[in-house]
Structure formats: C-alpha cells, structure tokens
Amino acid sequence: MDTFALVVTIGVALFFTYTNGFHDSANAIATSVSTRALTPKAALAMAAVMNLAGAFLGSGVAKTVSEGLIQTPEGSKGMGILFAALVGAIAWNLITWYYGLPSSSSHALFGGMVGAALAGGTTVYWTGVLDKIVIPMFVSPLVGLLAGYLVMCLIMWIFRRANPHKAKRGFRIAQTVSAAGMALGHGLQDAQKTMGIVVMALVIADVEDYGDPIPVWVKVICAVMLSLGTYAGGWRIMRTLGRKIIELDPPQGFAAETTGAAIMFTTAFIFRAPISTTHVITSAIMGVGATKRVNAVRWGVAKNIVLGWFITMPAAALVAATSFWIVKLAFL
C-alpha cells in the first residue's frame, strides 16, 4: 500500500507539472507570439526546450518547497496530505485555464500544501510561508510593474532617433532571445516546485532521507513533464496575456520578457524564493504598456487577473482541505 501510495502521489505530482506547463506556457511566449516575433509552434518548441534546460540550473527553490513551508508529514497520512495538496492545485489550475485567467500555478500549489497540512493536523511554518511566499507575492508584481516601466523608458530613450521600422525588426529578432530567457527562468522556477513535492513524497516513504540531494531521475521526469505541458500550449491564457491586457509591439515585448526573466533568475539564485512567473510577466506587461499612456493598459482585464491572484491560495487551500477529508474517509 505504501509503495502504491508513493507511485500515485508522484504520478499526480507529474500531472500537476504537466498542467503547470500548459497553464504557464503563455508566460514564456505570449508576448513574442502576439508581436509575431515567433510563430506559435516555434515559440512553444523553444519554450519546451528552454524549460527542460532551466530545470537543471539549481535546486534552491525545490529545497524551500520541500523543507521550508510545512513540516514533512509522516506515514500514510503524510502521503494523503501531499496527494490532497496536489489535487487542490490541479483543480485550481484547470478552473483558471478554462476561464483564460493567468493565475499562479505556484500559489495554487502552496495554497494546496497549506490547506491539506491544516486539515491533516501537520505544522505549517508560517514564517516560511510569509517570507518565501506571501511577501514575494506582493513584492514581485510591484517590482515587475516598476522594472517593466523603467526598462521600456530606457529602450525608448536609447532608440529615440532610430528608424522605427528598423528598430522593430531588430527587436523582433531580440525577442527570440528574451523569450528564451523567460522560458529558461520558468523552467528554473516551476520544475523545481514539483521536484520539492516529489522529494517530500520520497522522504515520507523512507526512500530518501531529509536533506538528501534531489535524485537525477526526479529532475529529469519533472523537467520532461513541464516541457510536455508547455508544448501542449495554453492558448486561452496566451490570448489574455498577449492581447487582452495591451496590444504589444516588439520593443515592448522584449522589455517585458527581459524584465520577467531577470526577476526570476534573481529570486531563484539569490533569495531561493519560489515566485510566481505569472505574476511577474503579467505585471511587467502592465508596466511596459503604461509607458504608452496609462489608459493604454486595459485595467479592467488587469483588475480581474489581480483578483484571481488574491483568491488563488485560499481557493486551492479549500479544495485541498476538502480533498484530504475525502481521502481520510476513504483510505486512512
């Protein structure tokens, strides 16, 4: 039963990574597709490859997820808590994908972990949740908004005397690099989150010891599933990010992607904070768009997205807690 529970939990974790991939593929490529810098198929293929590469760049975020948010639960109840956390996250991912809302897969996962832990009577490290999740949740979009605005202002100043058509052509080429950087950062951040969950499952099952390095096979399967999900594409969310917030041109797309990638690498390597790639790129797009004029951004759409951000963690926590009670009644 323990082995079966471990296999099922890892399988659900990998399905979560797959949903994360198609839910968040828009983060990496929506801007470059909407500016026609890349065709959708080429953009998805590039994003899938870079997601795969990004997953192998570090393990700080995975460590935070597996050790810094909740006490590693034990036994069959512990596996039930992880399973319920993942169900909560997957449910929220599918709901927001259906409605085309770019909500955060990361915060759905963290909300699921907290909700399932509370329902299962496991200790939640509130300091870790506050420092690594809640504070970055508020700070990273503000940084993305401001940095996107400043980067775009800088680009406009540097190229103020350039031929607009030549500049746009140049930025369309540059966007292939910035989109790749964005996808690499997405792989670095999001594949590690699932790695952290799989490592927790292995510790609960006594296959791994607490604090052991992440096994190579865990890195490979998490990276591959994220890439496959990315290649499947999230067209509904791509439309929201690429067109509904603001109509982007290549310089704006380049500025938004460069800003997003820089923030993701900084938070992963320096702070080991698992930030939301969705929050960062969405706020960067808003910041970049505001340089045109403030009302160029469709703030009504932006408001709905931000509301989605606020309800993601509580909603996923509620679904996860309900899932745990069902699992407890059926199996524990």
Side-chain angles (χ1 to χ4, degrees), residues 244-260:
K244 286 187 182 175
I245 298 173
I246 184 169
E247 294 284 343
L248 293 167
D249 61 22
Q252 290 171 328
F254 174 80
E257 288 167 348
T258 303
T259 301

Side-chain angles (χ1 to χ4, degrees), residues 136-150:
M137 182 169 88
F138 286 100
V139 173
S140 60
L142 293 174
V143 172
L145 192 72
L146 182 62
Y149 182 84
L150 294 174

Side-chain angles (χ1 to χ4, degrees), residues 66-67 70-74 78 122-123 125 199-201 203-204 210:
S66 62
E67 298 174 16
I70 65 171
Q71 183 180 20
T72 303
E74 295 178 354
T122 292
T123 304
Y125 300 139
V199 165
M200 280 183 89
V203 170
I204 292 167
Y210 191 77

Side-chain angles (χ1 to χ4, degrees), residues 50-133:
M50 297 309 279
N51 267 334
L52 189 66
F56 293 94
L57 290 181
S59 58
V61 169
K63 202 169 178 63
T64 297
V65 172
S66 62
E67 298 174 16
L69 305 179
I70 65 171
Q71 183 180 20
T72 303
E74 295 178 354
S76 56
K77 187 176 91 165
M79 209 62 84
I81 287 171
L82 275 195
F83 176 82
L86 289 161
V87 168
I90 290 167
W92 188 248
N93 267 0
L94 293 176
I95 290 165
T96 49
W97 166 78
Y98 182 79
Y99 289 105
L101 269 181
S103 78
S104 167
S105 296
S106 310
H107 289 118
L109 178 61
F110 305 142
M113 287 174 73
V114 170
L118 290 172
T122 292
T123 304
V124 175
Y125 300 139
W126 292 110
T127 310
V129 172
L130 183 68
D131 291 349
K132 298 290 187 182
I133 309 300

Side-chain angles (χ1 to χ4, degrees), residues 5-259:
L6 175 64
V7 170
V8 168
T9 303
I10 290 175
V12 175
L14 294 176
F15 181 64
F16 166 74
T17 308
Y18 183 82
T19 67
N20 188 347
F22 75 67
H23 195 280
D24 289 4
S25 57
N27 297 348
I29 61 171
T31 48
S32 44
V33 170
S34 71
T35 62
R36 296 182 175 82
L38 290 168
T39 63
K41 276 194 173 176
L44 282 169
M46 179 274 296
V49 171
M50 297 309 279
N51 267 334
L52 189 66
F56 293 94
L57 290 181
S59 58
V61 169
K63 202 169 178 63
T64 297
V65 172
S66 62
E67 298 174 16
L69 305 179
I70 65 171
Q71 183 180 20
T72 303
E74 295 178 354
S76 56
K77 187 176 91 165
M79 209 62 84
I81 287 171
L82 275 195
F83 176 82
L86 289 161
V87 168
I90 290 167
W92 188 248
N93 267 0
L94 293 176
I95 290 165
T96 49
W97 166 78
Y98 182 79
Y99 289 105
L101 269 181
S103 78
S104 167
S105 296
S106 310
H107 289 118
L109 178 61
F110 305 142
M113 287 174 73
V114 170
L118 290 172
T122 292
T123 304
V124 175
Y125 300 139
W126 292 110
T127 310
V129 172
L130 183 68
D131 291 349
K132 298 290 187 182
I133 309 300
V134 177
I135 291 173
M137 182 169 88
F138 286 100
V139 173
S140 60
L142 293 174
V143 172
L145 192 72
L146 182 62
Y149 182 84
L150 294 174
V151 168
M152 193 61 215
C153 285
L154 184 65
I155 286 171
M156 286 159 70
W157 185 79
I158 292 170
F159 292 91
R160 64 193 184 281
R161 292 193 181 92
N163 178 302
H165 293 295
K166 279 186 180 175
K168 279 190 179 179
R169 202 177 310 126
F171 275 108
R172 199 165 269 136
I173 295 163
Q175 260 201 284
T176 57
V177 179
S178 60
M182 188 73 205
L184 196 67
H186 179 241
L188 170 67
Q189 277 278 349
D190 283 22
Q192 283 192 53
K193 290 159 191 167
T194 309
M195 287 177 207
I197 293 290
V198 174
V199 165
M200 280 183 89
L202 294 172
V203 170
I204 292 167
D206 281 334
V207 177
E208 288 272 310
D209 288 327
Y210 191 77
D212 278 359
I214 301 167
V216 174
W217 68 267
V218 172
K219 290 187 177 186
V220 171
I221 57 169
C222 289
V224 167
M225 287 305 286
L226 185 71
S227 288
L228 288 174
T230 298
Y231 193 68
W235 302 108
R236 290 169 186 266
I237 292 168
M238 207 177 293
R239 278 197 294 272
T240 303
L241 272 181
R243 293 284 168 88
K244 286 187 182 175
I245 298 173
I246 184 169
E247 294 284 343
L248 293 167
D249 61 22
Q252 290 171 328
F254 174 80
E257 288 167 348
T258 303
T259 301

